[in-house]
Amino acid sequence: MTKTYAMTGGASGIGAALKESLQARGDRVIVVDLKNADIIADLSTVEGRQHAIAGITELATDGLDGFVACAGLPPVAEPLSLITQVNYFAAVATIEGVVDLVAKKNGAIVSVCSNSAPLPGLNEEHIELLLAGKEAEACALIETLDGHNAYAGSKNALTKWTRRNAAEMMRKGVRLNGIAPGMTRTPLTDKVFADETLGDATREFSKCISYGDLATPDMIADAMLFLLDPAARYVSGSILFVDGGQDALLRPDQF
Ligand SMILES: NC(=O)c1ccc[n+]([C@@H]2O[C@H](COP(=O)([O-])OP(=O)(O)OC[C@H]3O[C@@H](n4cnc5c(N)ncnc54)[C@H](O)[C@@H]3O)[C@@H](O)[C@H]2O)c1
């Protein structure tokens, strides 16, 4: 039977790879993005998120087998508050907005986190504001911080939000898991490599990937397919690192 999935950020990179894999096996995919999507929505705004949720609800009347919150911006995006809005608040709002549709089919939700989430140097007050849902305050604070805090901080909070909400989702019959990709060859990473400040540091950091190279988007999509699949029916509240071994190298004793 044809399955129906929805995702944000399916027009490019990792999201596009997942969309192609799902479509290749005959599944229906509803994509929300700024362009090249079934639902055009700017997820940085509350109105855009509402438009996205209303659009998905209209297109997926029988419910969703899965939802992936994949839209994201790199640490070099400007203003920094855009990263806060898209990477954290849009992910949480869209997941909350479609959970009942996913519950209809006892489906699965994947939040796209990052292996940068546990990196040191993050401002705790910013992360607390995100988790408290204080968007205006978090956006104001991030403008006084930096791209690392905006990006890794948003992913740190999204990881914690995923863990904190998995039990409640499970009670609704929905599995909520996070995926933590490492550096992956996508337009997002190209933008970081091209940045005067972060480019060289990121290239240097990428040299410690145990696998020996960056991921390709399909490597991340394959792991997402597992989290969405009934094969993962007992997996809930997990954060799956798909990063060529980088997190294990940096934090061998933390799990
Ligand atoms: N590429 C990596 O190395 C890497 C590593 C860890 C995590 N991630 C995460 O994976 C996800 C996908 O990243 P990617 O590398 O494929 O990036 P990408 O830039 O190729 O794709 C991101 C997508 O998000 C969409 N998007 C951005 N802002 C939006 C907005 N305001 N409204 C609607 N859509 C918007 C873009 O249009 C784009 O299609 C992101 O959440 C990213 O943070 C990526």
Side-chain angles (χ1 to χ4, degrees):
M1 207 173 71
T2 305
K3 292 190 169 182
T4 302
Y5 296 89
M7 68 171 73
T8 66
S12 172
I14 294 168
L18 177 66
K19 176 187 69 178
E20 281 158 27
S21 294
L22 290 167
Q23 287 176 338
R25 64 187 202 189
D27 294 332
R28 180 175 167 233
V29 187
I30 301 164
V31 171
V32 177
D33 209 307
L34 290 169
K35 55 179 173 12
N36 300 329
D38 304 285
I39 301 162
I40 304 294
D42 179 357
L43 296 169
S44 68
T45 68
V46 171
E47 298 73 31
R49 294 167 205 159
Q50 286 167 349
H51 176 64
I53 294 161
I56 295 170
T57 307
E58 202 177 304
L59 291 174
T61 40
D62 293 337
L64 289 170
D65 293 279
F67 176 73
V68 181
C70 193
L73 289 167
V76 296
E78 286 180 347
L80 293 178
S81 53
L82 260 186
I83 304 170
T84 304
Q85 289 162 336
V86 176
N87 292 17
Y88 181 79
F89 286 102
V92 168
T94 51
I95 289 173
E96 285 178 337
V98 303
V99 67
D100 289 344
L101 288 173
V102 182
K104 270 190 183 182
K105 291 192 162 189
N106 288 116
I109 296 178
V110 178
S111 63
V112 180
C113 306
S114 167
N115 79 339
S116 67
L119 288 177
L122 297 181
N123 180 296
E124 283 304 323
E125 186 189 350
H126 173 239
I127 292 168
E128 286 308 319
L129 286 174
L130 296 174
L131 287 164
K134 297 186 173 169
E135 186 161 358
E137 288 98 320
C139 287
L141 177 59
I142 204 59
E143 291 302 340
T144 69
L145 300 171
D146 52 27
H148 172 60
N149 266 289
Y151 186 80
S154 70
K155 298 298 187 179
N156 182 297
L158 184 60
T159 304
K160 288 174 178 155
W161 183 88
T162 301
R163 297 272 298 164
R164 290 180 186 185
N165 284 275
E168 177 62 23
M169 298 267 177
M170 194 79 265
R171 279 191 282 276
K172 296 181 187 214
V174 172
R175 294 183 298 104
L176 171 63
N177 292 288
I179 194 153
M183 264 179 256
T184 308
R185 288 189 199 287
T186 70
L188 180 149
T189 309
D190 292 344
K191 285 177 196 137
V192 180
F193 281 154
D195 185 73
E196 253 180 47
T197 319
L198 283 182
D200 285 345
T202 310
R203 251 184 297 276
E204 196 54 38
F205 185 58
S206 72
K207 287 183 186 158
C208 77
I209 301 172
S210 312
Y211 182 85
D213 200 356
L214 272 65
T216 52
D218 61 296
M219 289 174 173
I220 311 301
D222 281 350
M224 289 169 161
L225 287 175
F226 166 69
L227 290 176
L228 290 171
D229 195 85
R233 62 196 172 280
Y234 206 60
V235 184
S236 174
S238 289
I239 306 298
L240 178 56
F241 282 76
V242 188
D243 68 348
Q246 201 176 23
D247 184 64
L249 183 75
L250 295 173
R251 306 184 309 141
D253 295 341
Q254 274 148 311
F255 51 86

